[in-house]
Amino acid sequence: MEGTADLHIHSTHSDGSSTVEELLHRAQKAGLTAISITDHDTTNALEEARALADGTGIEVISGVELSTTLGNAEVHILGYFFDHRSPGLQSYLAHCRTARLRRAERMVEKLNGLNIPLRIESVLEQAGTGSIGRPHIAHALVEEGLTENYYEAFSRYIGNGKPAYESKDQVSSAEAVDLLAEAGGLSFVAHPGTMIDEGLLKELIQAGVDGVEVIHPSHSPDLVKYYRGIVHEYFLLESGGSDYHGLKKGGADMFGKFRISQECIDMMRRRLQ
Ligand code: AMP
Ligand code: ZN
Ligand code: FE
Ligand code: FE
């Protein structure tokens, strides 16, 4: 592990299962020098994270993960270094969170139509005050004894194209990139290895993304090399992190296991000047 920064972490403000306090505690134990909490469609973790990091030597960089579309593909865009008080950004995020709630209601209706008696209250309980996503529906299904486990919820009902699936609002990747730039931030193509081919990546570069998430648990060493090559070729920035969502789903503990170097962060800062 070369680096000391993890710029892709989720908290209970979206579909992560660790609180901001737990995340900061772990970041300190892991010896991280910089983190970013990149919740889906919310920056509500930021102020608490900065207050907790005060005096620890950990830099908390503003972050968010936005779901966008380019053609028929779903593209996740990571934003960093923006001013989280930007009214344009916050009204967009509030709109997305409301749309997520409506979508969860539609998915519950579809499940009910399939004779799965899930109640929306049980999903809301999983989400707490956080931005609602399919993981909350999956956990609610397990909690209510309506599916065997978390992964079965996706493979039978709510995975892409499954009978209770509903898509999110369509926002173009270019719009998200512009919004982040207007808020003074940088935008990155998240985990391209999971869903993006080379043609799509080139289109995103043309749309003005500032960088690519090179380091991600889904990227093999060969893919890391490949994306690093693209970053150099197009004068882009490199980001990366663990995409940690907590321990609730089972599986390996990824916290702080995927890191980038401080040099990558310095380069981001220079790009903003
Ligand atoms: P949403 O943003 O509400 O569409 O939820 C997307 C999240 O659901 C992803 O970040 C994954 O954590 C999870 N997810 C999506 N598809 C699957 C799947 N087939 N198996 C397990 N988790 C999934
Ligand atoms: Zn997530
Ligand atoms: Fe993502
Ligand atoms: Fe993520």
Side-chain angles (χ1 to χ4, degrees):
M1 236 177 327
E2 335 144 35
T4 56
D6 184 342
L7 300 194
H8 195 157
I9 302 174
H10 294 271
S11 79
T12 49
H13 286 284
S14 66
D15 55 4
S17 57
S18 302
T19 62
V20 175
E21 197 174 355
E22 283 162 357
L23 292 172
L24 263 294
H25 184 71
R26 294 205 63 182
Q28 215 174 344
K29 271 210 313 204
L32 298 181
T33 58
I35 62 165
S36 184
I37 301 180
T38 48
D39 277 314
H40 303 281
D41 299 331
T42 178
T43 60
N44 287 345
L46 184 63
E47 289 185 0
E48 186 189 355
R50 283 195 171 147
L52 288 165
D54 196 28
T56 64
I58 300 171
E59 180 188 8
V60 180
I61 296 165
S62 61
V64 73
E65 183 168 14
L66 305 175
S67 304
T68 71
T69 48
L70 185 60
N72 293 321
E74 178 168 341
V75 175
H76 290 185
I77 300 281
L78 289 162
Y80 297 118
F81 285 106
F82 51 80
D83 178 359
H84 70 292
R85 291 158 306 185
S86 153
L89 180 64
Q90 285 307 334
S91 74
Y92 172 74
L93 296 178
H95 162 82
C96 290
R97 293 193 297 270
T98 307
R100 280 178 169 277
L101 171 61
R102 298 286 165 257
R103 169 185 180 236
E105 288 168 348
R106 293 198 303 274
M107 289 177 72
V108 168
E109 275 168 32
K110 277 191 164 174
L111 284 163
N112 294 164
L114 296 165
N115 287 323
I116 311 297
L118 184 71
R119 295 166 308 115
I120 187 71
E121 289 76 17
S122 153
V123 178
L124 297 179
E125 209 172 289
Q126 291 293 329
T129 54
S131 172
I132 301 180
R134 282 183 284 164
H136 298 121
I137 301 179
H139 287 307
L141 283 165
V142 176
E143 197 72 19
E144 300 282 321
L146 299 167
T147 42
E148 282 287 312
N149 61 56
Y150 180 83
Y151 296 96
E152 192 195 277
F154 284 92
S155 62
R156 286 185 69 168
Y157 305 118
I158 61 171
N160 290 21
K162 299 293 173 183
Y165 174 74
E166 279 278 314
S167 63
K168 272 178 283 199
D169 277 13
Q170 313 273 303
V171 174
S172 78
S173 308
E175 282 174 83
V177 168
D178 291 346
L179 194 68
L180 288 164
E182 279 160 26
L186 297 169
S187 52
F188 290 74
V189 184
H191 44 71
T194 58
M195 39 196 173
I196 292 169
D197 64 21
E198 193 168 320
L200 211 54
L201 190 56
K202 304 251 157 95
E203 278 187 60
L204 287 162
I205 295 168
Q206 265 165 8
V209 294
D210 300 290
V212 174
E213 186 174 48
V214 172
I215 303 288
H216 186 270
S218 67
H219 292 172
S220 65
D222 278 347
L223 266 189
V224 168
K225 255 189 236 159
Y226 169 72
Y227 290 126
R228 209 165 257 156
I230 301 245
V231 161
H232 289 148
E233 187 180 346
Y234 292 91
F235 300 100
L236 299 170
L237 297 161
E238 168 176 339
S239 74
S242 61
D243 209 353
Y244 183 70
H245 277 80
L247 300 171
K248 202 170 164 187
K249 293 177 198 166
D253 181 0
M254 298 297 207
F255 187 89
K257 298 280 192 315
F258 294 82
R259 304 174 177 192
I260 56 164
S261 65
Q262 190 59 43
E263 174 63 14
C264 291
I265 294 174
D266 296 341
M267 284 174 76
M268 292 180 197
R269 209 174 252 114
R270 281 203 288 277
R271 188 68 58 101
L272 284 165
Q273 278 162 4

